[in-house]
Amino acid sequence: MTTTTSRLPEAEATRLVDYLAGELARSGVTHVFGVGGANIEDLYDAVHRGGAVRAVVAKHEFSAVTMADGYARTTRRLGVVAATSGGGAMNLLPGLAEAHASRVPVLALVGQPPTGQEGLGAFQDSSGKGGSFDARDVFGPVSRFCARVEDADALPELLDRALTAARSHPRGPAVLLLPKDVQQARLPLPGRRPAPAGGAASAPAASLARLDPAALTSVTRSLRGAGRVLVIAGEGVAADDARAELAELARRLGAWVAVTPDAKDVFDNRDPRFAGVAGVMGHSNVEDCLRRADVCVLAGTRLPLVARDGLDQALADTEVVCLGPEPAFVECTALGGGLREVLRTVAGRLPPLSRSCPRHAGPLPAPATDPAPRNTVPTVPPRSTAGTVPYPQALAAVAAALPQDAHVFVDAGNAGAGAIHHLPAPRHGRFVVALGMGGMGYTFGAGIGAALATGRRTYVLAGDGAFLMHGMEVHTAVEHAAPVTFVIFNNNAHAMCALREQFLQGGIRGDDLFGRTDIAAAVAAAFPTLTVSHAADATQLHKALLEGNEGAGPTFVALECDPHEIPPFRSFRSFAQAAAAPRTGDAADRPETESKESPHEQGIVRIG
């Protein structure tokens, strides 16, 4: 398409991509993550020429989105990803789906073939013309806003709409489709406008409705009359930077505080009020506190299944109050609005005196100096093979080495379940688990994005399955000297799948158990400048992590784990208990392959 502005004199106009790069910089964006290509190269050229925004080239577009996601979660600014058309564009989808489900503000800038070639057999055409599919139909379901920029003159308005949509409740991705010729078109030089305070991504979201007076009165009455209160806090507390408000509410209520699996960092895990993690990877103490509570307060969480597994009956028997911009998935009295405002307002209506919480069993995390941290839930003793390190011991080593201002990104699988259950969150850093879509390999890009954005040491905790999917983003960390510590728990298996086969399907098929892979040796050979270690035990792991903390760039540690070790998943508890108990009577004669799902397990959410 030829626009009228494309014929403006050089002195009176600027390329659309230069305008776009400048607007990103004015909005507080410091990095653009992505993978280049012919239909997005003009934007990368503009970013390079502008100099205010740093372009980071990833190895795969999924990881580029997760870099933008990790950047957004740790800075509370807009994450930006840029990719070309065709396969590059399609590779963005899983990452955008995670950002959509987890309410993470991300802007995706997606190149498209020139408008004059649409519907005429253009390479990678997704215009919806000439029998091609329409990219808007693909990106629409995983975005809060999606538009094709048909003309250069339309960009300023569409960009404003995209930024507003990405950071308004419910937050999430916005997508702009940019044909190559439109990127190259010229725009009139814009008049100077003041940048939003703190950048567009951290500016206040679109105004929320005023607090409902009737709901506020009802919530206040319930909390004032409650003797025992359990607060379950979610990721929304981190997204709205409402940790101080949460702590003040808990202090005035004398409440126990539990967290959802993706929000372990929103409340000090060492505080006497800390009750543990709720849900499928959580602690039984949370259910005990809930059953004793007069009121349960949900703060910044809708309490999805993964966070309420095992709690439904106790929730049904307890008065529930939900604070935050979105309604909960359980029956409750909802007080909607911006979370910080809601928490401050509710706390302000309570007596200002600090109240101690009632006694409870914990669980405070085991001291990092313990060589073998206790489990809060019963587990079968690990059937370790030579050279393997049990997850609790490995995670105790991580806890002992972890800087308290570090960020932690936890991947899917047995290693992730162990980390959520055993590893205390750092006091001054994020503890991120991508539970929106739960995609394996998310952490490699996300950890790099966080480290580059904040300059802080960032730990990536992942299994070998996640590493084999997206672990080659280590290359990006090396190229950019990102301060990331990669810790790979290698059980040479998709072990959670294998355990599900054993416990729920009558026996292990074998296709999820693999031959041994020496990941440390492979990475050391591929990246000779990277510090790589293989830890044979928890002591060696701790030493390698401390050495990595002293460096400025990335470091990589791999250790061997037992694929038969049962992780702290609620759905595996009865099997762990049964495996630990002596077999008598008929059970002694029953083949192990006849394991069946017990009635107790039938109502439990499955993770796999």
Side-chain angles (χ1 to χ4, degrees):
M1 175 179 292
T2 303
T3 64
T4 56
T5 53
S6 65
R7 295 189 292 272
L8 288 169
E10 291 277 339
E12 300 177 14
T14 184
R15 289 186 305 170
L16 178 143
V17 287
D18 294 313
Y19 169 84
L20 179 53
E23 288 298 293
L24 293 177
R26 288 179 64 257
S27 298
V29 173
T30 58
H31 293 71
V32 171
F33 306 95
V35 180
N39 285 330
I40 201 66
E41 62 190 1
D42 296 286
L43 176 60
Y44 278 99
D45 176 69
V47 168
H48 174 74
R49 291 174 183 272
V53 178
R54 180 180 178 185
V56 177
V57 176
K59 310 290 93 62
H60 192 282
E61 290 83 2
F62 168 77
S63 291
V65 182
T66 67
M67 288 178 194
D69 179 300
Y71 173 104
R73 294 200 204 213
T74 51
T75 66
R76 298 183 57 247
R77 296 198 298 267
L78 182 77
V80 180
V81 60
T84 193
S85 52
M90 296 302 101
N91 284 341
L92 297 173
L93 287 167
L96 293 178
E98 169 60 39
H100 183 279
S102 292
R103 310 305 196 242
V104 181
V106 170
L107 174 65
L109 303 171
V110 185
Q112 298 284 278
T115 55
Q117 298 177 9
E118 293 175 353
L120 299 175
F123 180 58
Q124 299 180 333
D125 188 4
S126 57
S127 65
K129 301 175 182 177
S132 66
F133 68 87
D134 192 331
R136 289 172 294 190
D137 295 335
V138 175
F139 288 106
V142 294
S143 63
R144 306 298 177 194
F145 177 82
C146 179
R148 187 187 304 276
V149 183
E150 304 281 5
D151 188 281
D153 296 326
L155 177 67
E157 178 187 353
L158 291 175
L159 179 60
D160 283 346
R161 291 174 63 187
L163 294 177
T164 298
R167 55 192 175 90
S168 298
H169 290 290
R171 301 181 183 97
V175 179
L176 291 178
L177 304 169
L178 301 168
K180 184 174 178 68
D181 57 321
V182 176
Q183 294 178 52
Q184 297 171 331
R186 307 191 73 80
L187 282 172
L189 288 172
R192 292 191 176 273
R193 295 178 295 163
S202 58
S207 60
L208 292 158
R210 293 177 62 85
L211 301 187
D212 184 313
L216 178 57
T217 298
S218 176
V219 167
T220 302
R221 184 184 302 116
S222 294
L223 294 180
R224 278 180 169 271
R228 293 175 174 174
V229 178
L230 171 66
V231 176
I232 303 179
E235 164 68 15
V237 175
D240 282 11
D241 193 22
R243 291 177 178 84
E245 289 78 7
L246 171 67
E248 177 63 15
L249 179 64
R251 184 184 71 84
R252 294 193 181 196
L253 287 171
W256 303 299
V257 180
V259 295
T260 58
D262 58 347
K264 200 167 183 182
D265 59 297
V266 304
F267 192 80
D268 188 352
N269 293 187
R270 300 153 188 85
D271 190 292
R273 302 180 190 277
F274 183 62
V277 179
V280 69
M281 292 163 278
H283 302 97
S284 57
N285 181 61
V286 175
E287 182 179 356
D288 294 339
C289 290
L290 179 57
R291 293 190 181 281
R292 295 167 60 194
D294 300 309
V295 177
C296 176
V297 177
L298 308 181
T301 178
R302 303 179 71 191
L303 212 63
L305 279 169
V306 72
R308 73 174 191 270
D309 181 45
L311 302 179
D312 278 318
Q313 186 57 57
L315 286 165
D317 296 337
T318 307
E319 182 178 0
V320 179
V321 167
C322 179
L323 308 180
E326 294 191 77
F329 292 114
V330 297
E331 186 174 347
C332 65
T333 299
L335 179 58
L339 186 58
R340 292 182 73 180
E341 179 188 3
V342 171
L343 291 173
R344 277 198 300 260
T345 302
V346 172
R349 293 195 168 204
L350 300 172
L353 298 177
S354 179
R355 294 171 53 190
S356 298
C357 70
R359 292 177 62 87
H360 62 118
L364 291 175
T369 53
D370 268 7
R374 62 177 171 81
N375 282 324
T376 305
V377 296
T379 59
V380 63
R383 289 175 281 174
S384 298
T385 56
T388 64
V389 185
Y391 287 108
Q393 291 184 16
L395 291 163
V398 173
L402 184 67
Q404 287 305 298
D405 64 347
H407 301 303
V408 178
F409 283 78
V410 176
D411 219 297
N414 287 3
I420 291 167
H421 192 83
H422 294 292
L423 180 64
R427 283 190 171 95
H428 309 295
R430 291 299 326 268
F431 188 104
V432 177
V433 187
L435 290 180
M437 291 288 107
M440 291 173 66
Y442 160 89
T443 57
F444 293 94
I448 293 168
L452 292 177
T454 66
R456 296 191 196 180
R457 175 61 51 181
T458 300
Y459 275 47
V460 166
L461 309 181
D464 54 307
F467 172 80
L468 293 172
M469 288 188 180
H470 291 287
M472 283 299 100
E473 290 301 334
V474 169
H475 179 279
T476 308
V478 171
E479 286 291 299
H480 292 272
V484 182
T485 297
F486 298 96
V487 185
I488 309 302
F489 300 80
N490 181 13
N491 54 27
N492 294 293
H494 287 167
M496 186 182 297
C497 295
L499 288 171
R500 288 180 58 81
E501 292 161 16
Q502 178 180 348
F503 294 144
L504 306 177
Q505 296 186 320
I508 296 178
R509 294 190 295 272
D511 44 354
D512 284 312
L513 298 175
F514 312 138
R516 183 176 182 273
T517 302
D518 192 339
I519 292 176
V523 171
F527 306 106
T529 63
L530 176 65
T531 300
V532 179
S533 303
H534 178 271
D537 55 37
T539 300
Q540 291 183 15
L541 174 60
H542 180 242
K543 180 175 182 291
L545 296 176
L546 289 178
E547 291 173 353
N549 292 345
E550 297 301 316
T555 188
F556 189 100
V557 187
L559 63 149
E560 304 269 342
C561 297
D562 188 342
H564 302 291
E565 184 176 345
I566 301 176
F569 266 96
R570 180 177 175 84
S571 54
F572 291 160
R573 284 185 195 174
S574 63
F575 300 110
Q577 292 167 330
R583 303 175 76 202
T584 59
D586 293 341
D589 300 323
R590 188 182 305 129
E592 290 188 10
T593 56
E594 292 183 13
S595 295
K596 299 295 182 182
E597 189 170 10
S598 69
H600 172 70
E601 300 293 320
Q602 291 172 0
I604 293 177
V605 63
R606 304 300 175 198
I607 305 296

